[in-house]
Amino acid sequence: MLVLGYFYGGYLIDGTTFTKAALSISMNFIQLIEFYICYLWVYPRFLKKNKVPQLIGGILFTIGVFIALRYLIEEVLYLKWLGFHNYNDGTTAWAYISDNIYWSIGFIVTPAAVYGIEQSFKSEQVNRKLKEEVVKAELSFLKSQINPHFLYNTLNYVYSLAIPVSDQLANAVLRLSDLMRYTLNDSPDGKVSLDKEVEYLESYVALFRMRFEPKFYVDFTTEGITNQKIASLILIPFVENAFKHGVVNDESQPVRIKLKVQNKRLSFEVSNKISHAQKDHSSGVGMVNIHRRLDLIYPEKHELLISNNGNTYKSTLILNL
């Protein structure tokens, strides 16, 4: 509206002819179409390092649309409806095309500038949020370092005491100790081998099996695991969610956990029958955190699909490793 106000403000002050006003309206209408093709489609999709050919193609397409629309409106429709057209009858095709390329350039460059400024502001906002998250993470990390090693060593001591009392109790303490030891391990890039992550999931499932057996039905399968790397503890929230909100004692509809890796593409599916018993009202930070971690660690390299038909809840995570 500001641009159009600038264009037509002079007409309101000084006046103009009908022909000049009609040609200005057609030109500005086509320029607006050109602007939004670039702003909404070409630059968001193709203004990236690895899409330069597509970007050039999109710009050429936009220029072609500009030339075609201007010819249709000013040389065909205006002549038919209003009795006049813009260019002289002797204008060659090349002269017409080259002149319109010149007039189209301004509204190729302008949306690029607008889009670039907008993305700069968005990047600044994202960076500010990331800095805030880093501060929160550092505080949380410092708090978490107060007791974990002490608890881990204590669990080992409890395990030694539990051995003569109960094998089941000793195994449960050992499983819990293994889980804690895994969470304390760290790597420079925050990633671990996929088989270690699977061992952690298996220990977690085994610990729950001790708690609910003999009526504990979980089908856990894996395929294609070799030497892949994955972000630590990225899979466990989906299993936790299934055990927390699902039914684990229904033999006809067990909790199904399926992990498959093929051609550097990991697929992790967890499905469970939904429990309609009284819900646990503890804060559900697990899935919130997993969304944040996926966005930070696997930007544009993950897909998370959730389905819920009222009886079965299924989550599918796809990662490009």
Side-chain angles (χ1 to χ4, degrees), residues 118-155:
E118 184 183 48
Q119 294 304 307
S120 177
F121 278 116
K122 287 183 178 180
S123 297
E124 184 179 350
Q125 291 177 343
V126 170
N127 289 335
R128 188 184 303 116
K129 289 182 179 179
L130 287 176
K131 288 179 181 178
E132 293 174 356
E133 291 294 330
V134 167
V135 172
K136 292 179 181 178
E138 287 178 352
L139 291 174
S140 178
F141 176 76
L142 291 173
K143 290 179 181 178
S144 68
Q145 293 304 297
I146 297 175
N147 288 320
H149 288 283
F150 168 75
L151 292 176
Y152 172 61
N153 292 330
T154 303
L155 281 175

Side-chain angles (χ1 to χ4, degrees), residues 3 17 55-56 63 70 83 94 97 123 129 139 157 170 175 202 210 218 222 237 249-250 283 300 307:
V3 171
T17 63
L55 176 63
I56 295 173
I63 294 174
R70 195 174 185 204
W94 171 244
I97 292 173
S123 297
K129 289 182 179 179
L139 291 174
Y157 174 67
R175 289 287 186 181
E202 290 173 341
M210 294 177 187
V218 174
T222 62
N249 59 356
D250 188 346
S283 60
E300 299 183 4
S307 64

Side-chain angles (χ1 to χ4, degrees), residues 58-291:
I59 291 174
L60 293 177
F61 169 79
T62 306
I63 294 174
V65 170
F66 177 90
I67 295 173
L69 284 177
R70 195 174 185 204
Y71 184 84
L72 174 65
I73 295 173
E74 295 181 355
E75 306 302 319
V76 178
L77 298 181
Y78 276 9
L79 183 61
K80 180 178 180 180
W81 294 342
L82 304 177
F84 65 86
H85 60 107
N86 192 3
Y87 286 80
N88 297 327
D89 293 334
T91 304
T92 64
W94 171 244
Y96 184 85
I97 292 173
S98 59
D99 187 58
N100 278 276
I101 290 175
Y102 168 80
W103 287 108
S104 67
I105 291 299
F107 279 75
I108 295 290
V109 175
T110 303
V114 174
Y115 179 77
I117 293 171
E118 184 183 48
Q119 294 304 307
S120 177
F121 278 116
K122 287 183 178 180
S123 297
E124 184 179 350
Q125 291 177 343
V126 170
N127 289 335
R128 188 184 303 116
K129 289 182 179 179
L130 287 176
K131 288 179 181 178
E132 293 174 356
E133 291 294 330
V134 167
V135 172
K136 292 179 181 178
E138 287 178 352
L139 291 174
S140 178
F141 176 76
L142 291 173
K143 290 179 181 178
S144 68
Q145 293 304 297
I146 297 175
N147 288 320
H149 288 283
F150 168 75
L151 292 176
Y152 172 61
N153 292 330
T154 303
L155 281 175
N156 286 334
Y157 174 67
V158 173
Y159 169 70
S160 64
L161 295 178
I163 291 176
V165 178
S166 168
D167 289 339
Q168 186 177 14
L169 175 60
N171 288 332
V173 173
L174 184 60
R175 289 287 186 181
L176 184 59
S177 177
D178 289 339
L179 293 177
M180 179 163 287
R181 179 173 56 189
Y182 182 79
T183 59
L184 291 176
N185 288 334
D186 196 11
S187 60
D189 60 356
K191 293 186 177 182
V192 297
S193 61
L194 182 57
D195 57 341
K196 294 295 183 182
E197 185 78 359
V198 170
E199 287 180 10
Y200 178 79
L201 294 178
E202 290 173 341
S203 294
Y204 186 85
V205 173
L207 193 60
F208 266 80
R209 189 181 302 278
M210 294 177 187
R211 176 182 174 187
F212 291 103
E213 64 181 357
K215 294 186 176 182
F216 182 77
Y217 304 101
V218 174
D219 182 15
F220 187 5
T221 61
T222 62
E223 180 181 343
I225 297 176
T226 54
N227 58 349
Q228 301 93 344
K229 289 278 190 175
I230 190 173
S232 176
L233 302 173
I234 203 76
L235 304 178
I236 189 63
F238 300 100
V239 180
E240 289 178 339
N241 193 59
F243 288 177
K244 180 179 179 181
H245 301 288
V247 176
V248 298
N249 59 356
D250 188 346
E251 186 176 7
S252 64
Q253 195 171 349
V255 175
R256 300 188 185 278
I257 307 170
K258 182 179 179 181
L259 189 151
K260 182 178 180 180
V261 183
Q262 187 175 15
N263 298 327
K264 294 185 178 181
R265 182 177 182 272
L266 180 146
S267 174
F268 185 63
E269 297 180 0
V270 180
S271 64
N272 60 273
K273 179 181 178 181
I274 298 174
S275 173
H276 297 288
Q278 184 176 358
K279 299 295 183 181
D280 182 355
H281 296 290
S282 60
S283 60
V285 297
M287 294 305 293
V288 174
N289 286 343
I290 202 66
H291 278 285

